[in-house]
Amino acid sequence: MLILGIESSCDETGVALVDASGGRTPRLLGDALHSQIEMHRAFGGVVPELASRDHIRRVLPLTDAALAQAGVPLSAVDAVAYTRGPGLAGALLVGSGVACALGFALGKPVIGVHHLEGHLLSPFLSADPPEFPFVALLVSGGHSQLMRVDGVGRYTLLGETIDDAAGEAFDKSAKLLGLGYPGGPALARLALQGDPLAYKFPRPLLHSGDLDFSFAGLKTAVLTQVKRLAHARLDGPATLHLADPLTLQQKADVAASVQAAIVEVLVRKSMAAVRQTGLRRLVVAGGVGANTQLREQLGSACARAGVRVHYPELHLCTDNGAMIALAGGMRVQAGLVDWSLAGAAGYSFDVKPRWPLAELAPPAVLV
Ligand code: KG4
Ligand code: ZN
């Protein structure tokens, strides 16, 4: 059972081929990715129209590359999965349009995948795949959520951010330090040279008693600290120049301190979710899951609590086609794909730019 997966929800075009035969753990056969980071860097963030146009340019050559890597002809593909949402509408339409066209040409079904389902199942492609049930910490540029995962399509929201996502907190703090876009990896690199105890940034909602997050206050705290250090005038808007007067060491100390605040909240809430559910497995997924500090601290907290922690392979933490092909394949294996949709009615260019994961109610088993 060969599933082609297409990801185009934001600023990465990814196409991959996964073998999801029988009851076996799916295997990645081919994986091609193009990141638009360089193109958007000049604008300090993702420009949706440019993103859509670039997806159009990249998606077919990447499809050829993924199939060539797998050594498999297009005609052998059994189903085409694509990111149906959430994400940028125009960008999603590219993946959905191409998936529907390929599905129609092949006479095979298309599977609309939830982007976050792709992230949270992505550790199943790792050398140490998890087993259901588990708690999932989903931390990306747009989402911070704790979920209880009982199986494919069986997701219960335990807590989520009430404002900014963890990745956004990394990105906005990095911007205030003049680190450009995307800020997370750059801030983490700079933090290596800094002192995490140099500045005491807030740990929002740490003691709220629930599993929700809030990161919006952090960027204000970072801005205040940067201004204080730069003796900047308090009446100007936050600009990239604000951090210029800071020494490299000051910037590194701010980076390390803000990273420590974000990581502490994520670790404490994840461990609270594990305690609350009584589950012994934690899966960490999404771009922020690549953060080394987060991995180290979750690793020790989980070891102390006797909890197994699973991550996707590092290159599958950020957006990619493999996780979409995988989620499509696992949906097929779970009997959640309607094969009768391999007809004209099934190719409906359907995207959902806003789509809460909890809305993925367990559908009726169709085959
Ligand atoms: O999952 P992802 O690729 O895209 C979304 O679905 O949002 O996540 C991107 C986010 C960005 O905010 C980026 O700054 C953050 O993940 N990120 C990191 C690291 N690598 C990526 N944040 C902290 N440390 C990292 N090493
Ligand atoms: Zn993502």
Side-chain angles (χ1 to χ4, degrees), residues 9 12 115-116 119 139-143 167-168 170-171 182-185 188 259 286-288 290-292 317-319:
S9 66
E12 259 101 25
H115 181 82
L116 295 182
H119 273 304
V139 270
S140 70
H143 297 87
E168 237 175 320
F170 270 103
D171 292 340
Q259 175 174 260
V288 181
N291 186 272
T292 313
C317 277
T318 45
D319 293 348

